Amino acid sequence: MRIPFYQIDAFTDRLFGGNPAAVCVLDRWLEDSVLQAIAAENNLSETAFLVGRNGRYALRWLTPKVEVDLCGHATLATAYVVFRHLEPSLREVAFDSRSGELRVSRAGDLMTLDFPAIHGQRCACPMQLSEGLGREPLEVWRAAKYLCVFAEEDDIRALQPDFSRLADLELMGVIATAPGHSVDFVSRMFAPRVGIPEDPVTGSAHCMLATYWAARTGNTLFNAKQLSSRGGDLGCELRGDRVLISGRAVQYLQGEILLNP
């Protein structure tokens, strides 16, 4: 079996920036164990698998360890593959996922994800969280991930997490955020529990970041930057119970996975 395979750098306009995702185009679903083995072999934060045609696809995302419910950068990468290689005449594609229907539209080389808004609940800071981050956040919110708020961008840049401590938290990941110097807000994202010590750019985190910063500032439009070593740039718009997340992508490679039947 030959599986078409692409590796795409998402939320960037330059090669070796943003967040790399693998995209595997299937004509039918394989056993879950095979999908997980492929994701582990790829050893990227996410591998996306899609099955479908005519502008509508079923989409799944797997880290090297687990399947996840929502992934922004791998959805952007998958949309890039659909628009560039599978159905270049499309201006919008629909994905059926664990998080419901997700649509991606394009205008030129800018693509926009239509994702669900995620609202956190304010909570006390677990000791393990502050110890894992190496400093105490000003605020902590929780949903599927912790959202930790700091005073300024330099606080986010200075974080040196203890990943072994963060991996033992009950939630799957930790988002750290603060106002930005040249953008509305900055962030970093850590998810060692699911095999991603630091994610380069996390589209799904901005479903929660957009709702937090909208409540705090009263604005609904944001320019955001993720401060990983690779870096990433995102536009966000809170629109009711949805968040529109915009970005670009660059193709790194194209090939085939050779899978024994």
Side-chain angles (χ1 to χ4, degrees):
M1 177 181 291
R2 296 174 179 266
I3 299 172
F5 172 90
Y6 304 85
Q7 187 169 318
I8 308 297
D9 292 339
F11 292 115
T12 184
D13 59 3
R14 62 180 178 86
L15 201 58
F16 310 124
N19 199 350
V23 179
C24 298
V25 182
L26 305 177
D27 56 12
R28 59 179 173 83
W29 288 114
L30 306 176
E31 294 291 331
D32 288 357
S33 60
V34 175
L35 299 182
Q36 190 63 72
I38 291 172
E41 186 76 8
N42 291 339
N43 200 32
L44 297 170
S45 60
E46 247 87 19
T47 295
F49 298 90
L50 74 159
V51 175
R53 61 178 59 84
N54 298 329
R56 189 166 207 100
Y57 297 82
L59 178 61
R60 297 170 66 181
W61 313 276
L62 283 81
T63 79
K65 289 188 175 182
V66 299
E67 185 169 2
V68 298
D69 292 335
L70 186 65
C71 179
H73 84 278
T75 303
L76 195 79
T78 304
Y80 178 96
V81 170
V82 172
F83 292 143
R84 177 63 63 92
H85 298 285
L86 304 183
E87 299 189 75
S89 64
L90 292 181
R91 291 295 177 266
E92 183 176 80
V93 60
F95 297 114
D96 295 310
S97 77
R98 281 188 172 190
S99 293
E101 181 185 85
L102 306 172
R103 290 186 172 269
V104 186
S105 59
R106 65 165 170 166
D109 62 352
L110 185 69
M111 294 173 287
T112 300
L113 311 174
D114 183 342
F115 269 28
I118 297 175
H119 297 272
Q121 297 292 322
R122 192 162 184 176
C123 65
C125 182
M127 181 180 299
Q128 192 166 335
L129 178 56
S130 57
E131 290 177 352
L133 290 174
R135 59 179 64 196
E136 187 87 16
L138 299 176
E139 303 173 27
V140 178
W141 300 72
R142 62 176 292 160
K145 306 175 182 74
Y146 287 108
L147 176 64
C148 300
V149 183
F150 292 88
E152 60 182 12
E153 180 174 318
D154 292 344
D155 294 329
I156 306 301
R157 292 186 181 279
L159 291 175
Q160 295 182 314
D162 181 337
F163 295 123
S164 64
R165 295 289 283 165
L166 296 182
D168 289 334
L169 290 166
E170 62 174 326
L171 302 185
M172 69 165 290
V174 177
I175 309 163
T177 189
H181 296 325
S182 60
V183 294
D184 297 301
F185 63 82
V186 297
S187 67
R188 290 172 69 186
M189 166 68 188
F190 313 109
R193 182 170 177 172
V194 295
I196 309 169
E198 180 166 1
D199 199 30
V201 194
T202 316
S204 62
H206 289 74
C207 296
M208 190 176 181
L209 285 162
T211 63
Y212 170 80
W213 286 105
R216 175 165 162 171
T217 65
N219 298 325
T220 57
L221 288 169
F222 304 98
N223 289 317
K225 183 176 288 291
Q226 197 152 329
L227 299 178
S228 65
S229 59
R230 293 174 65 97
D233 300 296
L234 311 91
C236 300
E237 179 183 356
L238 181 62
R239 188 179 291 180
D241 62 353
R242 307 295 292 181
V243 176
L244 305 183
I245 305 168
S246 299
R248 292 175 169 82
V250 179
Q251 182 170 313
Y252 171 62
L253 65 81
Q254 176 181 351
E256 293 179 322
I257 296 173
L258 306 180
L259 192 66
N260 292 330

